[in-house]
Amino acid sequence: MRILIFGGTGEAIDLANALVRQGHEVTTSLAGVTRKPRLPNGHVHRGGFGGVDGLKDYIGRNDFQLMIDATHAFAANMSHHIVEACEQLNKSHLRLTRQPWRAGPEDEWQHVEDLAQAAERLPEGASALVTIGRQHVEPFVLRDDCTIVLRAIEHPEMVLPPRVTVMLERPPFSLEGEMALMQQHKITHLVTKNAGGDQTVAKLEAARQLGVDVIMIERPALPTAPEVFSVDGALKFVADHSASAA
């Protein structure tokens, strides 16, 4: 089966590798947010498509039979384009996403809608660990009354003032490491997107144990689509789809 995976997550890589091993012809699309991404097996498409019409053209020219949206939960525009293109082409599609994190009884998260709100919630004098990636960090950089520790896979493109510390690291992260980081930098606030998953959840447990306030940026609304929450679930969907198409 010819399958197009929209990647950008570890699950997308694991899924592509598994499908290639099963004999499917897989292309993974990478938007180019990360300059040096991990690459899956199979074919790789880099860059955008030019909106819904460009995506429809790409799907049609390559005769893909199934589209799988395994992008980050905050890649809302791409998810909307995938659903719209597939519905217009009458093509099958699936969303592979992570279960969102949920606050426990001991947690007191501040829930916000976007990055600007998150930056506004930081009180004067806060020392914040910001784990939102390298893009769109300006609202936090402009908080000259706060100390910011920015963790990302790659360095932001903008020039940063001395009070902003950049840590370049890839997940997974351990509880011990997260607690040591927060203690070393005297972190008072953790700012994170509700990405879900196990590889970065340790920061939430560390914040809970250390009494660090959490500012949680909630996910944007996405269009309705068939949805699974694991690579195994996606593989079963592909197997069922292949059987029904045979």
Side-chain angles (χ1 to χ4, degrees):
M1 177 176 287
R2 295 175 66 86
I3 301 172
L4 175 58
I5 298 175
F6 300 87
T9 60
E11 290 86 349
I13 294 174
D14 292 342
L15 177 60
N17 292 345
L19 290 172
V20 168
R21 287 195 298 269
Q22 292 180 359
H24 296 283
E25 187 173 347
V26 179
T27 297
T28 299
S29 170
L30 299 176
V33 173
T34 302
R35 300 184 191 96
K36 296 181 179 179
R38 291 171 52 210
L39 297 178
N41 295 329
H43 306 290
V44 174
H45 172 274
R46 292 176 179 268
F49 297 97
V52 174
D53 289 340
L55 178 56
K56 287 167 56 180
D57 179 69
Y58 182 78
I59 292 172
R61 282 189 289 107
N62 290 277
D63 194 27
F64 290 112
Q65 298 162 280
L66 174 64
M67 271 48 68
I68 301 178
D69 178 4
T71 60
H72 194 277
F74 285 77
N77 286 342
M78 191 70 247
S79 293
H80 279 274
H81 289 175
I82 294 165
V83 170
E84 187 173 347
C86 289
E87 288 181 347
Q88 291 183 19
L89 294 171
N90 195 28
K91 292 279 189 176
S92 297
H93 60 284
L94 172 72
R95 180 178 300 133
L96 168 58
T97 190
R98 302 166 185 163
Q99 291 278 12
W101 295 317
R102 303 193 186 281
E106 300 178 4
D107 295 319
E108 294 185 5
W109 296 354
Q110 299 183 56
H111 299 274
V112 297
E113 294 182 359
D114 54 36
L115 298 172
Q117 284 188 9
E120 290 173 359
R121 290 290 182 91
L122 290 174
E124 181 180 353
S127 179
L129 174 60
V130 179
T131 61
I132 61 169
R134 69 180 179 90
Q135 294 188 314
H136 313 301
V137 299
E138 186 173 5
F140 302 95
V141 174
L142 292 176
R143 287 297 307 267
D144 56 9
D145 58 341
C146 297
T147 300
I148 303 296
V149 178
L150 175 64
R151 183 167 68 193
I153 294 175
E154 296 177 338
H155 201 285
E157 294 181 353
M158 67 182 302
V159 177
L160 302 174
R163 58 186 170 72
V164 177
T165 300
V166 178
M167 303 189 65
L168 301 181
E169 296 180 319
R170 284 184 181 270
F173 303 110
S174 68
L175 175 59
E176 294 76 13
E178 297 292 63
M179 292 185 69
L181 170 64
M182 292 181 184
Q183 290 172 323
Q184 176 186 350
H185 292 276
K186 298 180 173 58
I187 296 299
T188 61
H189 291 74
L190 168 65
V191 179
T192 184
K193 295 177 177 179
N194 196 338
D198 297 330
Q199 291 200 330
T200 60
V201 72
K203 61 190 173 186
L204 296 174
E205 178 60 30
R208 181 183 301 118
Q209 293 191 25
L210 295 174
V212 171
D213 291 338
V214 175
I215 300 175
M216 183 66 68
I217 304 167
E218 293 301 340
R219 298 180 178 187
L222 298 180
T224 301
E227 196 169 59
V228 295
F229 299 100
S230 68
V231 172
D232 286 343
L235 291 172
K236 183 179 185 303
F237 183 95
V238 172
D240 292 344
H241 187 76
S242 298
S244 65

